[in-house]
Amino acid sequence: MRISFTSTNKEKDFKKLYEEYYAPFCLYAKRFIDDSSTREDIVSDVFASLWDKEDSFELNKTTALGYLKTCVRNSCLNYLKHLEYEWSYAELCQKRDPIYATAPDSIYTLEELYKMLYETLNKLPESYRVVFTKNFFEGKTHAEIAKEMNLSVKSIDRYKQRTMDFLRAELKEYLPLIAWVLLHRNAF
């Protein structure tokens, strides 16, 4: 098939077809899509596609209008299908657990990392939490903590070691991130 409005005046004939039917096809597209700029884009794309394919098939004015109508309808329906897919995907994302719940290599905010750490620390006995907090957040030495808590330095070492073992088990995928945050906390 070949579009041959007339081979000598094909640009002129195409321009005439475009000028005559662009607005009616935009109105036709309104049956499917409310947004005027989207309708205009779809109709423009259909006309551009017709121009690009002008060497691959032949149409007279009547069949060109049928072809354009079918293309506009299908493009509108494809747009709506894609829009529905986007809405479904957005809805699914809202219902889904946060990405870090299933993907340990995702990006975390500092707040999220601290939250994970504190939630895990809250599972420990209070004395273990106190030792960890004083050592990592307050920067106190084992001797200073032992003096404040009236415990031996060996007890502080043991509490810290058990806390670290627990954190390794509970936060195994996240521990390198949390350790980095703890080491660089003053930089933020």
Side-chain angles (χ1 to χ4, degrees):
M1 293 196 285
R2 181 166 170 74
I3 294 178
S4 57
F5 299 110
T6 61
S7 58
T8 56
N9 294 321
K10 86 176 151 179
E11 280 186 44
K12 181 180 167 191
D13 291 342
F14 184 83
K15 184 177 179 183
K16 184 177 177 186
L17 180 73
Y18 180 84
E19 289 172 351
E20 190 173 338
Y21 289 101
Y22 174 79
F25 277 117
C26 286
L27 188 59
Y28 172 71
K30 189 174 181 174
R31 296 177 185 182
F32 305 98
I33 298 172
D34 289 329
D35 182 54
S36 64
S37 63
T38 302
R39 291 191 310 260
E40 292 167 4
D41 287 345
I42 287 172
V43 173
S44 293
D45 288 347
V46 168
F47 272 99
S49 174
L50 179 64
W51 178 255
D52 289 341
K53 295 177 183 176
E54 57 94 15
D55 288 331
S56 61
F57 52 93
E58 185 178 319
L59 295 171
N60 60 36
K61 189 174 179 179
T62 306
T63 55
L65 292 177
Y67 175 79
L68 287 169
K69 182 177 180 183
T70 300
C71 289
V72 168
R73 183 187 72 237
N74 289 346
S75 294
C76 288
L77 294 175
N78 286 341
Y79 172 80
L80 292 172
K81 183 189 289 185
H82 181 73
L83 200 59
E84 182 180 344
Y85 171 78
E86 285 180 351
W87 288 335
S88 297
Y89 182 75
E91 189 176 282
L92 176 68
C93 286
Q94 288 177 348
K95 291 178 183 177
R96 191 183 299 165
D97 286 338
I99 188 73
Y100 57 80
T102 57
D105 60 341
S106 61
I107 306 298
Y108 300 97
T109 64
L110 288 174
E111 183 179 321
E112 290 171 326
L113 290 170
Y114 278 118
K115 183 179 178 192
M116 280 192 283
L117 177 62
Y118 284 119
E119 286 174 354
T120 305
L121 287 173
N122 283 333
K123 296 176 185 177
L124 290 166
E126 183 179 357
S127 56
Y128 288 41
R129 277 194 313 271
V130 170
V131 168
F132 183 87
T133 302
K134 288 183 179 294
N135 183 243
F136 282 98
F137 293 117
E138 297 174 19
K140 294 187 176 182
T141 66
H142 291 200
E144 292 171 327
I145 298 169
K147 186 176 180 182
E148 283 181 29
M149 294 180 70
N150 201 24
L151 294 168
S152 70
V153 173
K154 283 192 174 209
S155 294
I156 300 302
D157 289 340
R158 191 176 68 245
Y159 287 1
K160 183 179 172 188
Q161 185 59 47
R162 287 186 181 164
T163 301
M164 293 307 292
D165 291 342
F166 181 74
L167 290 174
R168 271 189 213 92
E170 290 288 310
L171 301 171
K172 57 185 157 220
E173 294 92 359
Y174 309 103
L175 201 54
L177 294 171
I178 292 172
W180 186 88
V181 168
L182 292 174
L183 291 172
H184 296 87
R185 69 186 171 278
N186 293 331
F188 300 107

